[in-house]
Amino acid sequence: MKTGQEYRDSLRTRNIKVYIKGQLLDSKDVIDHPFIKGHVNSAAMTYELAQDPQFEDLMTATSHLTGKKINRFTHIHQSVDDLVKKVKMLRMISLNTGTCYQRCVGFDAVNAVYSVTFEMDQKLGTNYHERLKKYLLRWQEEDLMVAGAMTDPKGDRSLRPSQQADPDMFVHVVKKDDKGIYLRGAKAHMTGMVNSHEMLIMPTSGYGEEDKDYAVCCALPVDAPGVFHIFGRQTNDDRKMGGEIDQGNARYGVVGGECLTILEDVFVPWDNVFMCGEYQFSGMLVERFACYHRQNYGACKGGVSDIVIGAAATVADMSGYGKATHIKDKLNEMIHLAETVYCCAIACSAEGKPTAAGNYYVDPLLANVGKHNITKIIYEIDRLAQDVGGGILATLPSEEDFRSPEIGKYVEKYMRGVASVPTEDRMRMIRLLEVMTGGVALVESMHGAGSPQAQKIMYSKLSGLENKKKAAMKIAGVDPSKYTK
């Protein structure tokens, strides 16, 4: 297993192309850029904590392929216990970073691909599962950080991929030969991509035969020829060019450092191709990945909410109103909500079942309900946190003002709360609360792992409404058979 420093060092060996604000970065300096380094530090925690005996049970697992101890982020779930430990691990890491640590998407992707390739091979006689296992051996042995890449730009959402005016709106195979395939298109909202080693491409939707060229799943390096990345902007990200206070979470950043990844006729050898035209299984892959990823949100957002609650309570204490009854009531409500979303993550894990391939899969109904709760509950937690924090969250003077030889003394004087608390400490807590409850953090809670409508569709399909109707009719003394469709 890699250490945190070995992870950082390995990123400097890549020949990755990353653009920020129109400028191409030097590949060896990418991880030092102020917009990126916090996300690198956060991802490094997934390596550092795995070296800590205190967290060994959560952060490591035994490979079912080799019997060796591996980082859990490279593991294929072998039991309900693995699913539950994953949830507990994610909440624990969130308590250490206060933000996204970016390895979950690849982790969820490989578990989904593992079961789907097995079933695809069983039905179609392909050999994708064995290819994936060979790739997984290297993933585990080298402790790779692999970015999951599912979401396509999509172009006109009312049209299927093959109907688009520009066929590159969805990643697709443009050429095949005896050595491999060639891809063209883009992947959007790519969490942790610029500080990963490789990416795992997946279809973004279930496809029909007319879109079979878009039904592709494969792995490739993030610095493969023809690949480049355009780093996304975040709310107030220019603060990262200055000091620490105004960043809020200066060490670990905010959310996951997402980017737009472009693929221009990128070659992928057949050994790293795990679906190529088998459109019948594209929907299954999307669904399984989505459910694994939705499992996470009650865990990571529960942990991030712990930090939000702690920050709100600390700001209240530093301002002198922490003991007010209405403040305590709001903090208690935030605690209740955070534990509620965590319960959903635990529940869908505890109800997990083995797939045909032998790895364990979460309960899809509960996973989707849990993620849908996130799209509402996190907004309420953050609303209450902003209520507790006060208007100063939106009007606090800058760090430059605080450091100014001319006016700093006035910021020091008038931004103080409780006399015994240094103004700088209060400012740091206010900024942390601000960045964690606004901008990109809220949007990611809404749309990460799929929009609210995606979860509604899933839990509506899985809810067993007809069985509920039959049960109600029986209790009321009505013969259900008269109304069976």
Side-chain angles (χ1 to χ4, degrees):
M1 297 187 298
K2 280 184 171 67
T3 65
Q5 188 56 50
E6 287 171 340
Y7 160 67
R8 291 185 179 91
D9 292 343
S10 69
L11 297 181
R12 296 191 189 280
T13 66
R14 306 170 305 164
N15 188 30
I16 191 171
K17 293 183 178 179
V18 179
Y19 289 83
I20 290 184
K21 299 171 70 173
Q23 300 298 312
L24 178 63
L25 305 183
D26 185 305
S27 63
K28 293 180 175 54
D29 297 332
V30 164
I31 66 172
D32 300 317
H33 192 282
F35 283 15
I36 297 173
K37 65 181 181 181
H39 308 301
V40 175
N41 289 337
S42 185
M45 286 294 286
T46 67
Y47 292 92
E48 292 166 5
L49 291 170
Q51 303 289 329
D52 188 336
Q54 180 183 353
F55 303 113
E56 180 179 14
D57 188 50
L58 293 183
M59 291 297 308
T60 68
T62 300
S63 170
H64 75 293
L65 297 177
T66 66
K68 294 180 180 179
K69 184 167 76 170
I70 56 173
N71 191 300
R72 188 171 294 278
F73 280 102
T74 71
H75 185 48
I76 301 296
H77 308 300
Q78 298 297 299
S79 63
V80 164
D81 187 54
D82 276 345
L83 293 174
V84 171
K85 282 181 178 176
K86 173 195 177 188
V87 170
K88 293 181 177 181
M89 173 184 73
L90 299 186
R91 190 169 191 181
M92 180 273 292
I93 302 173
S94 294
L95 276 167
N96 281 273
T97 63
T99 190
C100 176
Y101 24 91
Q102 310 137 56
R103 290 185 82 179
C104 300
V105 191
F107 185 20
D108 297 332
V110 74
N111 272 274
V113 177
Y114 189 89
S115 63
V116 172
T117 53
F118 181 88
E119 293 177 43
M120 190 160 43
D121 288 354
Q122 291 285 301
K123 184 172 183 179
L124 303 179
T126 49
N127 193 38
Y128 292 125
H129 190 66
E130 289 304 312
R131 290 183 193 173
L132 180 70
K133 286 200 292 186
K134 289 178 182 178
Y135 179 71
L136 181 60
L137 283 170
R138 185 168 70 85
W139 189 334
Q140 293 180 346
E141 189 66 29
E142 298 180 23
D143 202 359
L144 298 176
M145 177 164 166
V146 180
M150 172 171 279
T151 306
D152 293 309
K154 299 188 182 75
D156 184 340
R157 268 63 165 181
S158 69
L159 301 176
R160 304 290 295 177
S162 58
Q163 297 171 331
Q164 297 287 328
D166 184 343
D168 297 344
M169 290 297 101
F170 292 75
V171 169
H172 59 117
V173 177
V174 294
K175 178 184 173 184
K176 297 184 235 181
D177 59 28
D178 59 344
K179 295 181 180 178
I181 63 174
Y182 295 79
L183 300 179
R184 187 182 302 156
K187 289 294 184 179
H189 324 305
M190 291 296 98
T191 298
M193 179 69 80
V194 302
N195 52 289
S196 290
H197 302 103
E198 303 204 355
M199 69 181 91
L200 183 55
I201 298 281
M202 296 172 284
T204 199
S205 182
Y207 298 134
E209 186 172 7
E210 70 279 10
D211 294 318
K212 65 181 180 180
D213 289 341
Y214 298 87
V216 59
C217 176
C218 59
L220 63 148
V222 298
D223 59 351
V227 176
F228 62 94
H229 314 274
I230 304 171
F231 200 73
R233 297 302 305 267
Q234 293 188 342
T235 307
N236 296 327
D237 56 7
D238 277 337
R239 291 177 178 178
K240 296 177 182 179
M241 307 304 290
E244 289 189 359
I245 294 177
D246 286 344
Q247 294 183 53
N249 189 346
R251 179 159 176 76
Y252 300 113
V254 180
V255 192
E258 285 69 24
C259 71
L260 175 66
T261 294
I262 313 298
L263 301 104
E264 291 281 286
D265 297 335
V266 177
F267 172 72
V268 183
W270 282 115
D271 283 349
N272 285 357
V273 177
F274 315 120
M275 175 186 286
C276 186
E278 291 81 12
Y279 62 90
Q280 311 95 314
F281 287 85
S282 58
M284 178 189 290
L285 178 53
V286 171
E287 183 175 308
R288 289 190 183 174
F289 165 76
C291 291
Y292 276 126
H293 204 45
R294 289 166 189 167
Q295 169 203 24
N296 302 353
Y297 273 69
C300 65
K301 296 304 179 191
V304 168
S305 294
D306 291 336
I307 304 299
V308 169
I309 294 165
T314 302
V315 169
D317 289 342
M318 289 179 167
S319 303
Y321 53 82
K323 295 182 179 179
T325 300
H326 70 98
I327 296 297
K328 291 180 179 179
D329 286 345
K330 289 164 186 171
L331 292 171
N332 283 334
E333 178 62 12
M334 292 161 69
I335 292 168
H336 162 71
L337 293 171
E339 298 306 325
T340 297
V341 296
Y342 181 64
C343 286
C344 288
I346 291 291
C348 75
S349 304
E351 290 293 310
K353 300 290 189 296
T355 68
N359 63 320
Y360 272 65
Y361 179 51
V362 296
D363 182 280
L365 173 60
L366 298 180
N368 279 275
V369 169
K371 173 56 180 57
H372 194 69
N373 280 341
I374 291 291
T375 68
K376 300 178 179 181
I377 287 177
I378 295 302
Y379 279 73
E380 180 62 9
I381 290 174
D382 289 355
R383 184 191 71 80
L384 289 166
Q386 291 180 353
D387 186 353
V388 172
I392 195 67
L393 297 181
T395 64
L396 184 70
S398 70
E399 181 171 354
E400 287 88 345
D401 294 325
F402 179 69
R403 306 293 186 199
S404 167
E406 182 179 355
I407 61 172
K409 62 184 179 182
Y410 296 106
V411 177
E412 169 74 35
K413 176 182 175 71
Y414 291 111
M415 288 296 100
R416 185 178 292 268
V418 173
S420 61
V421 175
T423 299
E424 179 173 337
D425 289 354
R426 182 171 182 251
M427 290 179 67
R428 285 179 178 273
M429 295 307 304
I430 290 169
R431 284 295 190 222
L432 175 62
L433 192 56
E434 177 203 352
V435 301
M436 293 191 73
T437 61
V440 68
L442 280 175
V443 177
E444 194 273 336
S445 294
M446 177 70 75
H447 289 286
S451 67
Q453 187 59 26
Q455 288 113 55
K456 284 184 179 180
I457 292 170
M458 284 294 294
Y459 65 66
S460 174
K461 181 173 71 171
L462 296 166
S463 66
L465 180 59
E466 290 303 314
N467 290 333
K468 291 176 171 60
K469 288 160 66 175
K470 290 177 183 178
M473 283 187 274
K474 287 180 179 179
I475 289 174
V478 175
D479 181 3
S481 66
K482 295 193 300 182
Y483 299 94
T484 300
K485 292 183 181 179

